[in-house]
Every structure is written in structure tokens, then in C-alpha cells.
Amino acid sequence: GILYNPLSICKSIKNALSDRKYGANDVFLSGGTWNSFDFHSRFSNVDKAKCIESINSANEMLKCQLETASVMFVTFGTAYVYELAETGKIVCNCHKQPEKLFNRRLLPVSEIVELWTECIKVLEEANPHLRIVFTVSPIRHWRDGAHQNQISKSTLHLAINELNTKFGNTDYFPAYEIQMDELRDYRFYAADMVHPSETAVQYIWERFGE
């Protein structure tokens, strides 16, 4: 599913490659649906068994793709994470649970680099020919505030830069810079003034093709 922060993406990859199997203790009931803090709401289901089945099926598919792909794109959206206050576990999705259940913090560059250094090594063992291309999402997280959003995006850029200096099989595609610097006009944004418009998406895709 859709993941936003570097730690959740890393966790998802490592869980898939280690054949992690999810069970009844890994899901919770809320609002009539079963959910997992490790997965996007698209995997939530009113049927507990179907929820778990779809999660494990996705893990198996991801494992197969990671082991056979030639290129993997990794998009970091935010450097902020939400941890369950009770356990300290970082969640991939809060599933609209009460804010009091979570602690929110900004990841330091060093933590992102450390975990992704380990993640890249795991990926190299699983698929020695895999090339990794990092991107940073140009979508602003206005809930963080304009300044904090910039700090978050800057943290992601610094972490990716460090990873690219450490590894020879990683690259960076500047989707963020294209949107921010070349497509500044609001006509390149959707009605919410946050997401890129279809015209912007097409332009970035053409630049990628070049």
C-alpha cells in the first residue's frame, strides 16, 4: 500500500524479504473493519481472515518483485513518523485512530541513513542486480506547517544524498525539484493546491523519459 516515511518503507521491504507472515494478533478491529498498523487502509476489511489473507498475499508479491526487478523506485514523502505511545512501534498508517495513541517525531538524517544502509544490503543479497532510484515527493504536508514541511523534505534530501555517496547502485531522480522549480505556477497543481496536476505529472514523466 501507500507508505510515506522512510522507516515504514524499509520495514515493509524487510518484512517481505524475510517471509514475514501476519496473523490474528497483527490486526485490530475499529469502526467495523480489521486493520493493520503496518499496511494502508486499502487492505482493511470487514472480514478478519480476508484482511490477513490480502496482507500476506501482498507481502509474497512484493518479495517476488524485489527478487526479480531490475530497478526499484523509492519515494520518501515525509520524515515525520507516528509511534504507538504504548509500544514505541512506528506505524505505517494511523487508520484515523485517536491522536492520543501516538507520539509524533521527526526522524534525524542519521537514523534514516542507518536503517536504509541495512535495507540496501538486504536488497543486494536478495537481488544483486537491483538498481535503486530515490525520489522525494513534491506533495506538501501542510498539516506539518510550511516551515516544518521544508525541514522534513530537507531531511529526506540529506539522507538520500548520504546514501548515494555510500552505494554505487543508487540514484536520485529530481521529481521534487522539477515540480518546485520548473512548475512553480499554480496551474501545475490540482484543485487542492497540494498535489501536482495531470499536466505536471505528464511533464515530469516526459522529463524522466529524457
Side-chain angles (χ1 to χ4, degrees):
I2 302 168
L3 304 175
Y4 302 96
N5 74 77
L7 268 61
S8 292
I9 298 171
C10 177
K11 178 180 180 180
S12 178
I13 290 170
K14 292 171 72 175
N15 280 346
L17 289 176
S18 65
D19 284 321
R20 163 78 190 276
K21 300 298 181 187
Y22 283 75
N25 294 330
D26 298 307
V27 295
F28 66 95
L29 182 64
S30 177
T33 62
W34 291 92
N35 317 273
S36 168
F37 281 125
D38 285 349
F39 284 78
H40 189 265
S41 56
R42 67 175 58 177
F43 292 92
S44 300
N45 200 300
V46 294
D47 187 304
K48 185 177 184 180
K50 288 182 179 178
C51 173
I52 296 171
E53 181 184 356
S54 65
I55 284 172
N56 285 324
S57 176
N59 255 359
E60 292 170 6
M61 183 182 298
L62 177 57
K63 182 176 189 292
C64 178
Q65 291 173 334
L66 291 172
E67 291 175 338
T68 58
S70 56
V71 182
M72 177 179 71
F73 286 83
V74 179
T75 299
F76 292 162
T78 179
Y80 284 100
V81 296
Y82 286 86
E83 300 172 328
L84 283 170
E86 186 176 357
T87 64
K89 172 186 174 182
I90 292 176
V91 303
C92 299
N93 195 296
C94 295
H95 294 288
K96 299 181 180 179
Q97 297 302 294
E99 287 191 24
K100 64 182 180 181
L101 297 180
F102 306 96
N103 294 320
R104 177 175 172 272
R105 70 179 176 94
L106 178 70
L107 296 171
V109 173
S110 59
E111 186 174 353
I112 298 173
V113 172
E114 179 182 356
L115 286 173
W116 265 91
T117 295
E118 181 183 341
C119 188
I120 291 172
K121 291 178 179 177
V122 170
L123 283 163
E124 287 176 334
E125 291 179 6
N127 184 350
H129 304 292
L130 181 67
R131 191 160 194 85
I132 301 167
V133 180
F134 289 106
T135 67
V136 171
S137 170
I139 298 172
R140 296 177 178 89
H141 289 243
W142 283 132
R143 186 178 180 185
D144 297 332
H147 179 56
Q148 293 301 317
N149 173 72
Q150 286 296 91
I151 290 175
S152 171
K153 299 295 186 181
S154 298
T155 298
L156 300 176
H157 279 105
L158 288 169
I160 290 171
N161 186 63
E162 283 199 36
L163 290 167
N164 281 341
T165 61
K166 293 181 69 171
F167 293 93
N169 59 342
T170 65
D171 279 305
Y172 176 74
F173 176 70
Y176 179 91
E177 289 79 1
I178 294 172
Q179 180 72 35
M180 293 293 111
D181 297 329
E182 296 185 30
L183 306 179
R184 299 182 190 182
D185 194 286
Y186 278 115
R187 63 195 171 96
F188 294 112
Y189 287 85
D192 62 6
M193 294 300 174
V194 174
H195 292 77
S197 67
E198 286 299 319
T199 302
V201 171
Q202 183 61 33
Y203 179 84
I204 295 172
W205 176 246
E206 290 172 359
R207 288 294 306 277
F208 170 72
E210 293 169 3

